[in-house]
Amino acid sequence: MKSTTSAATVKEVRKLFAQFGLPHQLVTDNGPQFVSNEFEAFLKSNGVKHVLSAPYHPATNGQAERLVQSFKQSMRASENSDGNVEKKVAQFLLAYRAAPHCVTNETPAKLFLGRELRTRLDLLKPDIQSVMSTKLLSQSGNMTETRQVDGKVWVRDYRGADKWVPGQVTAQHGERHYDVDVVNGQCRRHIDQLRSREEHNISLQIEPDLPERCAAPTRDSNHASVSCGETSSLEPVLQPTPRRLKQDNPGPPDRLNLYLGNI
């Protein structure tokens, strides 16, 4: 902060409230920007209890003072290391938020975010979550269809007149995305936009997986119209059951007509 006036302090505190929500209690020292009427009115309007520490007794706000002490020790220890001040501050904050607290036995990140932060130490142990996600997807059948690298496929094309063009898979990204070489360059496609050449004989002028158009309906000897795929046997045609009229449905019982009032 370039200024420590009450207006500037309220502006910065409002940003924190908008990002993390309104706290139940705020502990500060007796600085002039904290005891001003403007700052007190701001906290009161947001339902935040303001607690002032005793003058000349910084131990009242011991948690903040302990954090300042840890930060100063970290900065002194990193004087001979490479990097600017912003990099050293970021490294300290990551290490502090990922370390368990001596009182709660939990990390500040776990208490605040509900999860642990990922650090470089996590590279030394397997990622159990990703392994479990892969196994669950394979068991559910969502990963049964794949494309092999260097495999020949039909590629959905959005740049030319032909909707499907031949291509060859060059690389796989994740579980569903592939890099494919086509005639006019390279593109990335989802697995839903690829078809195997061995399984699908796709004409370049028609869409794949579409049913063939039926021929014109024929008529049997009794001049009865016969649709595509049906035989000319004189089987009785089942008429669809008519829907109930609107008046046949009395609607929900009166006991469900509750008056909720203004919420």
Side-chain angles (χ1 to χ4, degrees):
M1 294 176 57
K2 297 181 180 180
S3 176
T4 58
T5 61
S6 298
T9 304
V10 169
K11 181 179 179 181
E12 295 299 324
V13 173
R14 183 181 287 111
K15 292 180 182 179
L16 295 176
F17 289 175
Q19 185 175 4
F20 303 111
L22 298 175
H24 294 283
Q25 180 175 294
L26 182 65
V27 180
T28 65
D29 55 18
N30 293 272
Q33 68 274 25
F34 298 129
V35 298
S36 63
N37 293 332
E38 182 179 1
F39 190 78
E40 290 290 347
F42 169 73
L43 295 181
K44 185 177 181 180
S45 63
N46 288 283
V48 180
K49 182 180 178 182
H50 190 196
V51 177
L52 296 172
S53 62
Y56 304 103
H57 193 267
T60 303
N61 197 5
Q63 295 181 357
E65 298 296 334
R66 187 65 184 86
L67 175 60
V68 172
Q69 181 180 354
S70 299
F71 176 73
K72 290 181 179 180
Q73 292 176 354
S74 176
M75 291 297 101
R76 285 194 295 265
S78 61
E79 287 181 355
N80 298 327
S81 61
D82 298 333
N84 52 20
V85 177
E86 288 79 7
K87 180 181 178 181
K88 295 178 181 179
V89 171
Q91 292 175 345
F92 165 77
L93 291 177
L94 179 60
Y96 181 83
R97 293 165 179 169
H101 197 271
C102 60
V103 177
T104 61
N105 292 326
E106 296 285 352
T107 63
K110 182 66 177 297
L111 296 177
F112 183 66
L113 302 175
R115 63 177 180 85
E116 299 290 354
L117 296 180
R118 183 174 181 269
T119 62
R120 289 188 295 179
L121 293 177
D122 294 327
L123 300 176
L124 301 177
K125 57 184 180 181
D127 189 358
I128 300 178
Q129 184 176 1
S130 62
V131 173
M132 292 299 298
S133 300
T134 305
K135 289 185 177 180
L136 291 176
L137 287 175
S138 60
Q139 293 175 1
S140 62
N142 294 332
M143 295 183 61
T144 56
E145 185 180 6
T146 58
R147 296 287 177 263
Q148 298 295 332
V149 178
D150 296 333
K152 296 181 179 180
V153 294
W154 293 105
V155 185
R156 185 68 169 88
D157 188 24
Y158 299 92
R159 295 172 292 186
D162 297 330
K163 294 183 178 180
W164 294 89
V165 296
Q168 186 173 5
V169 178
T170 58
Q172 180 177 358
H173 300 277
E175 299 173 355
R176 296 293 183 179
H177 290 82
Y178 297 86
D179 286 341
V180 186
D181 279 338
V182 293
V183 178
N184 51 0
Q186 190 180 58
C187 61
R188 177 169 296 185
R189 290 293 184 264
H190 190 271
I191 192 172
D192 294 341
Q193 299 169 316
L194 302 176
R195 296 290 185 271
S196 175
R197 290 202 212 175
E198 290 78 9
E199 300 175 1
H200 299 82
N201 186 13
I202 299 176
S203 175
L204 299 182
Q205 302 299 329
I206 62 174
E207 283 279 2
D209 301 336
L210 292 179
E212 297 181 358
R213 295 186 178 273
C214 296
T218 59
R219 295 182 178 274
D220 60 2
S221 59
N222 295 329
H223 304 288
S225 176
V226 180
S227 61
C228 177
E230 297 179 350
T231 62
S232 59
S233 60
L234 299 179
E235 297 180 355
V237 179
L238 299 179
Q239 298 294 335
T241 304
R243 296 182 179 179
R244 292 191 303 174
L245 299 179
K246 189 175 182 180
Q247 55 269 22
D248 294 339
N249 187 8
D254 295 338
R255 58 186 175 85
L256 295 181
N257 297 331
L258 303 179
Y259 177 70
L260 299 179
N262 295 327
I263 298 177

